[in-house]
Amino acid sequence: MLYLVNLFKHNWIFYALSICISAIAALESVRLLALLVILLLFCHYKQLLKIHLVFVFFTGIGSYLLFSYEVNKLSVSVELPAILTWSDEYRINGVMLRGFMTNAEGEKLYVTYEIKSEQEKQLLEAQQLAGSNFFVVGEQVSPSVPAHRYGFSMAQYLQSKNARGIIEIHQLTFVGKGNSFLQPLYDQRFRLKLHIEETFPPSLVAEAQALLIGLQHNVDDELNRAYQKLGITHLFAISGLHVALVSFLFFQLLLRMSIRRESATILLLAILPMYAIVAGGAPSIWRAVSVVEFIMLARYFRWNIPMDDALSLSFIIFVLLEPGVIFQVGFQLSYLATYSLVYSSRILARYSNFWIQSFFITFVCQILVYPLLLFHFFEISLSSFIANIFFVPLFSFVILPINLAVLVLTFLPLPFDSFVFLLYEPLRTALTNFIFIIQQPIIQMWNPGKPSILWLVFLYSSVFITFYLLDKQSTLKAILLLVLPAIVFHFQSYWDGDLKISFVNVGQGDCIVIELPYRKSVIVIDAGGLLRFDQEKWKERQTPYEVGRQIVVPYLKGRGIQSIDTFVLSHADADHVEGAEEVLREVIVKEVHVTPGSISKPVMNDFLQELKKTNTKLIEKMAGDYWKVGATTFEYLWPADIEYEGNNDSLVIMVTHNQYKALFTGDLEKEGEQQLIQLYTEKLRNIDLLKAGHHGSKTSSIEEFVALTNPKFAVFMAGENNRYNHPHIDVVNRFESYHIPHATTGLEGTIEVTITKGEITIEKSNSIYLK
């Protein structure tokens, strides 16, 4: 046995890579198995024994066949009605209950259920659903299509969770508690959740639940975003440091109880997996727990397993059990960051000073994951290199131990916990306020956009060579090789000579992004939003859906747009301006154009409050105003007066680029269109692109206007299955009677128009329209 351990020492990383390649090939394309050949060549270069080359090859092929079998099962339709069991991944938000359930075969399903009454919601919130069996009547539905190429993909999320599909539940009937051996752990986690809510001050509940039981649902969105800007979001996740601290405290407690070291080790081996389940079972937790388990088992049997082998074994087991996990961001970041520390140990060992070593620990972790962060989030925090030096020790050795200690105190009959809270809560509140202050500057975020697969390979090649040069102590070369590719990637969008006009799918609303050639200027027209209606308190979502934050900002960041030269708010309707405040928080805006009189409307209040925090100019515009950038002219055709009266006072913009003409009409209706016909007959004749007024309502796009403009392509910005039935069938028929091609964002997703030397390319969700 010892011979086998030594034979495979330091080689498990190659088996982990083989299994990783197989999982990607099974989930994406069999052609990716070609990467296995590259891996074998690398193994040969590293002079691995032939037996290892054979094992690596057959490990890859065998795991590919296994993963392909598992993936094929995911495409089989779900049989309903059925008795399903809740997992511990679920959430109640407003009237919706969402999460994962398993069927009798143990297969995972994503389910949604609309709660019927306040009493039913209270009943569901009061019980532990994890492990409970329910009789489910419903139907399987297809995952929603992403709003745009940088948006959240439900299909990919389901794939990463190895879930078979989405079930919309019509009827949910409790059958009984399950008898799984995990049930006591699920129940304990639920009791701890309720206990923390009952005993901790409200301001400390969310943090305590995140740090102690891995429940992050209650963390405030604004606070979470502040942590993201500082690059310290991982501190809310239970990670290796948490597990190490808990393991150390528990082990020392056992020793103080006069339990033999060998027995204490066995107890710890048994307790750690239970702790992982109670703590939420995130990839970072299982990674840390499994590595500790492997190392402790090896020591118990007097084997010497290096850290990289333990980490690779953990990776292998994780992927074999759930191949889709390789697409989970938390899994990717957790393992990559840990590998970076393992393989840079020689670099870190050169520095004895605590602060310098802390900086390099942060540095090696960040540079290894930065291309991946750009791929998933399109930006990274530049301040994280400094912030982590201070906040990681603070959370790991002060805040986490305090939360652990005070949790214990809350179970004691004496009010020790109240005394601790009296001292701790003001200090913790002050720290939160400090975090909000230092996270405000937008410039601390580097946002070059989402890299393509080729760019990802290029950036990672520079990272790996950088590590090699750092190991060889060629620091200057390493820095140059790391920074130069990043700079080239940052400026690549400025080499594009095309005019791009994107109609972003924000549902029932407008948002148009115009990028001039060579990124000389970026103009955004409207930012979407929701028409919100008063509803009963129990129906309100804990975290409201925000179009600006969840759709518009990701699109801008995915495109690498770090600043907006001109932000046009066509008129004061919620479905055009509600998302504007989130844009102001995340992107530098140089000036805002509004239609005269619109800023007095209540719907503009939140935007104006956010505007006060910036140096952005606010300018009222009307017919006759124009500006020019290079070969592109922007001209306002409407409104003609300063009295704001609603839709017919929308800002109407004509964009002329060489011979190409595009018209954006906001929510202009019949009366406004008639005025435009009278004033600009020749200017409007036979344009190239038209954003149809008022989402295709029957009050807009009158026949005279459609006949005069006769666009080569028209866009209706309307939500799928919207309550207003936009675009109206009469309007659609009107455009078709003139043989005008058209598209609707709610049906065909974000529509991207590219003008290249007179040629127009229009890309929709799954097709490209060429003219």
Side-chain angles (χ1 to χ4, degrees):
M1 180 64 71
L2 186 59
Y3 168 77
L4 289 176
V5 171
N6 290 327
L7 178 64
F8 284 89
K9 187 181 292 186
H10 294 299
N11 290 326
W12 285 105
I13 180 64
F14 300 109
Y15 295 97
L17 288 171
S18 176
I19 288 174
C20 181
I21 290 170
S22 300
I24 296 173
L27 293 165
E28 291 292 322
S29 171
V30 66
R31 289 177 294 181
L32 293 173
L33 271 181
L35 295 173
L36 197 59
V37 177
I38 298 175
L39 176 61
L40 289 170
L41 291 174
F42 182 73
C43 291
H44 179 70
Y45 168 76
K46 296 294 289 184
Q47 298 182 342
L48 266 68
L49 297 175
K50 289 183 179 180
I51 188 174
H52 287 303
L53 296 178
V54 174
F55 281 177
V56 167
F57 175 76
F58 282 106
T59 297
I61 298 300
S63 55
Y64 170 76
L65 296 174
L66 172 64
F67 297 151
S68 297
Y69 171 75
E70 294 294 330
V71 169
N72 289 334
K73 287 201 304 183
L74 298 180
S75 61
V76 179
S77 298
V78 178
E79 293 184 7
L80 292 172
I83 295 178
L84 304 179
T85 305
W86 280 103
S87 72
D88 62 341
E89 295 180 84
Y90 71 87
R91 185 182 185 188
I92 298 173
N93 191 8
V95 298
M96 295 305 300
L97 166 61
R98 295 184 173 92
F100 290 96
M101 301 183 80
T102 56
N103 59 17
E105 290 74 35
E107 297 167 328
K108 192 182 293 185
L109 311 168
Y110 183 81
V111 302
T112 66
Y113 174 65
E114 185 174 350
I115 301 171
K116 305 299 187 296
S117 66
E118 184 176 7
Q119 292 73 22
E120 184 183 21
K121 182 177 181 179
Q122 292 172 348
L123 181 63
L124 290 170
E125 288 179 329
Q127 63 177 312
Q128 165 64 298
L129 295 183
S132 299
N133 298 320
F134 281 79
F135 180 74
V136 170
V137 177
E139 61 178 330
Q140 186 171 359
V141 297
S142 301
S144 58
V145 178
H148 48 72
R149 67 179 70 191
Y150 311 109
F152 170 76
S153 171
M154 190 65 191
Q156 291 180 1
Y157 175 70
L158 295 177
Q159 185 184 63
S160 72
K161 292 287 188 176
N162 281 67
R164 281 182 61 180
I166 302 176
I167 306 299
E168 282 188 358
I169 299 177
H170 303 150
Q171 181 182 337
L172 191 66
T173 306
F174 178 71
V175 175
K177 282 284 187 181
N179 54 6
S180 167
F181 71 95
L182 297 177
Q183 193 61 49
L185 299 176
Y186 292 150
D187 293 340
Q188 183 58 44
R189 187 175 190 236
F190 186 71
R191 284 193 290 268
L192 281 173
K193 171 185 175 292
L194 296 180
H195 179 78
I196 291 171
E197 290 173 353
E198 293 168 358
T199 58
F200 278 60
S203 65
L204 301 178
V205 167
E207 178 182 88
Q209 289 180 337
L211 291 176
L212 299 176
I213 58 174
L215 187 67
Q216 301 187 37
H217 294 163
N218 295 322
V219 177
D220 179 72
D221 282 345
E222 290 189 13
L223 181 60
N224 193 47
R225 181 55 184 157
Y227 277 66
Q228 287 176 353
K229 287 184 176 181
L230 295 177
I232 55 175
T233 314
H234 59 91
L235 298 178
F236 268 142
I238 299 176
S239 61
L241 281 174
H242 295 64
V243 173
L245 180 61
V246 170
S247 301
F248 175 78
L249 292 176
F250 182 76
F251 193 73
Q252 292 300 316
L253 177 63
L254 293 176
L255 295 180
R256 297 294 181 274
M257 295 170 62
S258 300
I259 296 176
R260 294 177 57 199
R261 183 173 293 270
E262 291 78 7
S263 301
T265 299
I266 294 173
L267 283 172
L268 186 58
L269 286 170
I271 291 294
L272 278 178
M274 299 181 190
Y275 168 70
I277 295 169
V278 172
S284 59
I285 302 173
W286 280 115
R287 186 261 306 159
V289 166
S290 57
V291 169
V292 171
E293 293 263 316
F294 282 131
I295 292 176
M296 292 184 67
L297 275 172
R299 288 179 180 174
Y300 185 82
F301 290 106
R302 303 292 193 272
W303 297 340
N304 180 23
I305 292 186
M307 178 63 77
D308 59 336
D309 280 354
L311 188 61
S312 297
L313 283 167
S314 166
F315 179 94
I316 289 169
I317 293 174
F318 222 134
V319 177
L320 286 175
L321 290 175
E322 195 169 299
V325 75
I326 60 171
F327 291 124
Q328 292 183 26
V329 181
F331 177 84
Q332 295 171 359
L333 296 178
S334 176
Y335 275 92
L336 269 179
T338 309
Y339 273 119
S340 71
L341 293 176
V342 170
Y343 288 115
S344 60
S345 57
R346 288 200 303 181
I347 299 172
L348 300 175
R350 296 174 192 154
Y351 308 99
S352 56
N353 182 278
F354 171 79
W355 297 108
I356 296 177
Q357 192 174 64
S358 296
F359 172 78
F360 273 95
I361 288 174
T362 301
F363 178 75
V364 297
C365 287
Q366 290 285 48
I367 65 172
L368 188 62
V369 302
Y370 100 82
L372 196 62
L373 288 173
L374 292 181
F375 186 78
H376 289 297
F377 306 112
F378 329 128
E379 63 181 358
I380 62 171
S381 169
L382 298 176
S383 58
S384 64
F385 292 94
I386 302 299
N388 275 279
I389 296 175
F390 298 98
F391 282 102
V392 168
L394 178 62
F395 269 76
S396 300
F397 304 119
V398 178
I399 292 177
L400 175 61
I402 287 176
N403 276 274
L404 283 170
V406 79
L407 177 65
V408 174
L409 292 177
T410 58
F411 288 100
L412 300 179
L414 297 176
F416 294 123
D417 58 323
S418 300
F419 177 72
V420 175
F421 285 136
L422 187 65
L423 298 175
Y424 176 64
E425 187 179 15
L427 295 174
R428 188 63 189 87
T429 302
L431 177 62
T432 298
N433 293 334
F434 175 69
I435 288 172
F436 275 122
I437 292 171
I438 62 176
Q439 63 86 35
Q440 288 180 357
I442 296 175
I443 58 173
Q444 66 186 300
M445 302 301 294
W446 178 46
N447 170 222
K450 181 176 181 176
S452 65
I453 296 298
L454 287 177
W455 267 109
L456 195 65
V457 171
F458 179 62
L459 293 175
Y460 261 118
S461 297
S462 76
V463 167
F464 292 141
I465 299 173
T466 296
F467 270 99
Y468 173 78
L469 292 174
L470 285 174
D471 190 46
K472 298 298 183 182
Q473 300 189 17
S474 300
T475 307
L476 181 58
K477 290 181 180 178
I479 292 173
L480 287 174
L481 197 64
L482 179 69
V483 172
L484 288 178
I487 291 175
V488 173
F489 175 65
H490 176 86
F491 286 104
Q492 46 126 3
S493 58
Y494 293 86
W495 306 335
D496 191 342
D498 299 337
L499 170 66
K500 297 182 183 296
I501 302 173
S502 303
F503 299 86
V504 183
N505 180 19
V506 291
Q508 185 66 17
D510 278 18
C511 178
I512 302 156
V513 180
I514 303 173
E515 302 169 63
L516 296 194
Y518 307 109
R519 197 63 73 80
K520 289 181 179 179
S521 186
V522 175
I523 297 88
V524 176
I525 304 173
D526 294 327
L530 295 179
L531 298 171
R532 302 188 188 275
F533 303 95
D534 292 334
Q535 56 183 350
E536 297 175 67
K537 184 72 175 177
W538 72 272
K539 293 183 177 181
E540 294 178 0
R541 290 167 57 99
Q542 182 181 350
T543 52
Y545 179 79
E546 295 177 329
V547 171
R549 176 172 56 86
Q550 294 173 257
I551 295 181
V552 179
V553 169
Y555 186 81
L556 295 173
K557 289 183 179 293
R559 297 288 306 163
I561 295 174
Q562 303 177 78
S563 66
I564 297 171
D565 296 276
T566 307
F567 192 8
V568 180
L569 300 181
S570 64
H571 65 295
D573 273 0
D575 55 339
H576 291 252
V577 303
E578 192 195 48
E581 60 181 292
E582 285 88 40
V583 174
L584 281 179
R585 289 181 188 142
E586 297 291 338
V587 181
I588 296 171
V589 178
K590 296 178 181 178
E591 64 180 39
V592 176
H593 293 180
V594 295
T595 189
S598 62
I599 60 174
S600 63
K601 299 301 177 181
V603 73
M604 301 288 282
N605 290 344
D606 290 341
F607 167 75
L608 293 174
Q609 287 296 321
E610 196 64 38
L611 192 71
K612 291 178 182 178
K613 304 174 185 177
T614 69
N615 296 320
T616 304
K617 297 178 183 177
L618 179 64
I619 308 171
E620 290 186 336
K621 293 288 185 178
M622 55 192 302
D625 290 331
Y626 74 95
W627 76 99
K628 189 172 182 179
V629 182
T632 310
T633 302
F634 298 83
E635 181 182 2
Y636 286 110
L637 306 184
W638 198 255
D641 58 51
I642 60 173
E643 184 180 356
Y644 181 74
E645 296 176 333
N647 287 346
N648 273 318
D649 282 317
S650 295
L651 284 171
V652 176
I653 307 175
M654 170 77 80
V655 178
T656 305
H657 177 73
N658 296 324
Q659 303 303 314
Y660 185 84
K661 292 193 296 184
L663 184 67
F664 307 94
T665 60
D667 274 0
L668 200 69
E669 297 184 331
K670 176 181 178 180
E671 296 79 7
E673 291 177 345
Q674 290 173 335
Q675 292 290 327
L676 289 182
I677 292 170
Q678 293 178 11
L679 293 171
Y680 307 103
T681 303
E682 290 306 316
K683 186 170 288 188
L684 295 177
R685 193 181 304 278
N686 297 328
I687 65 174
D688 295 281
L689 175 65
L690 172 67
K691 201 290 292 186
H694 201 192
H695 320 291
S697 166
K698 64 180 179 180
T699 62
S700 300
S701 300
I702 60 174
E703 185 155 359
E704 297 87 344
F705 189 75
V706 174
L708 176 63
T709 56
N710 190 30
K712 294 178 181 176
F713 188 72
V715 176
F716 300 110
M717 302 202 73
E720 184 179 10
N721 299 322
N722 64 84
R723 66 174 66 194
Y724 310 102
N725 294 317
H726 291 160
H728 196 275
I729 186 63
D730 291 344
V731 173
V732 173
N733 289 338
R734 188 171 299 144
F735 277 87
E736 291 183 348
S737 69
Y738 285 92
H739 306 289
I740 297 171
H742 57 83
T744 303
T745 52
L747 298 176
E748 299 174 84
T750 293
I751 300 164
E752 297 176 332
V753 181
T754 303
I755 298 92
T756 308
K757 297 178 181 179
E759 294 187 1
I760 305 169
T761 302
I762 300 175
E763 186 173 352
K764 308 172 189 176
S765 56
N766 294 312
S767 63
I768 296 179
Y769 168 82
L770 298 172
K771 185 169 179 65

